[in-house]
Amino acid sequence: MDAEGLPLSASGRNGIWLLDDDASMLKALGRLLNSAGFAVEKFSNPADFLSELERRECRVAVLDVWMPDMNGLEVQACVRRDSPKTQVIFITGRDDPSVRQTALDAGAFGFLAKPFEDEVLLQLIHKAVTG
């Protein structure tokens, strides 16, 4: 349960949204989070993610940094503007210290380099949802 007594698996503002252009990563993260009791929405395209964000709230967004068309930092800027309560967690296959610092300075809740332990991501998401 979250701080308001709502189940973590409730849809809407308690949902976890995943944005990654790697279909296998989306599938694996979706399974992991579903098995931990989270409601998950998966997006492979930043435009689709942002379009949905205009219609509904997102509690936690897990964003890939490096994607074609729009990178995760650009998506984060839109999330901050359109949904300032959304917690952003970055995942990346190319850990660049300057990108990490830029993301954190812009308000990211966390930043993980792939590969990361499942439990580390789950704990970070749980803290973002309940904190």
Side-chain angles (χ1 to χ4, degrees):
M1 298 268 177
D2 73 4
E4 296 169 355
L6 299 170
L8 294 178
S9 59
S11 61
R13 62 188 182 147
N14 290 324
I16 310 301
W17 293 14
L18 305 174
L19 173 59
D20 197 316
D21 61 316
D22 180 340
S24 62
M25 180 60 77
L26 270 183
K27 187 175 182 179
L29 289 175
R31 284 183 178 165
L32 171 67
L33 296 177
N34 281 326
S35 71
F38 292 107
V40 178
E41 304 257 353
K42 296 182 277 187
F43 300 88
S44 59
N45 180 305
D48 294 340
F49 175 93
L50 293 171
S51 176
E52 192 62 26
L53 191 63
E54 290 176 6
R55 293 191 288 271
R56 297 187 299 129
E57 290 185 24
C58 168
R59 187 69 170 268
V60 177
V62 179
L63 309 176
D64 187 18
V65 174
W66 304 110
M67 298 175 288
D69 301 325
M70 187 176 208
N71 70 44
L73 296 174
E74 293 168 316
V75 174
Q76 180 189 27
C78 294
V79 170
R80 287 283 143 252
R81 180 191 68 220
D82 299 338
S83 183
K85 292 183 180 178
T86 298
Q87 298 287 355
V88 174
I89 297 170
F90 279 101
I91 56 175
T92 185
R94 279 187 281 156
D95 191 9
D96 178 327
S98 65
V99 171
R100 174 188 294 263
Q101 195 59 54
T102 299
L104 295 172
D105 288 348
F109 189 82
F111 195 104
L112 298 175
K114 300 173 192 172
F116 47 80
E117 295 293 324
D118 291 351
E119 192 56 37
V120 171
L121 178 62
L122 290 174
Q123 287 176 2
L124 192 57
I125 290 174
H126 186 72
K127 286 179 187 174
V129 168
T130 58

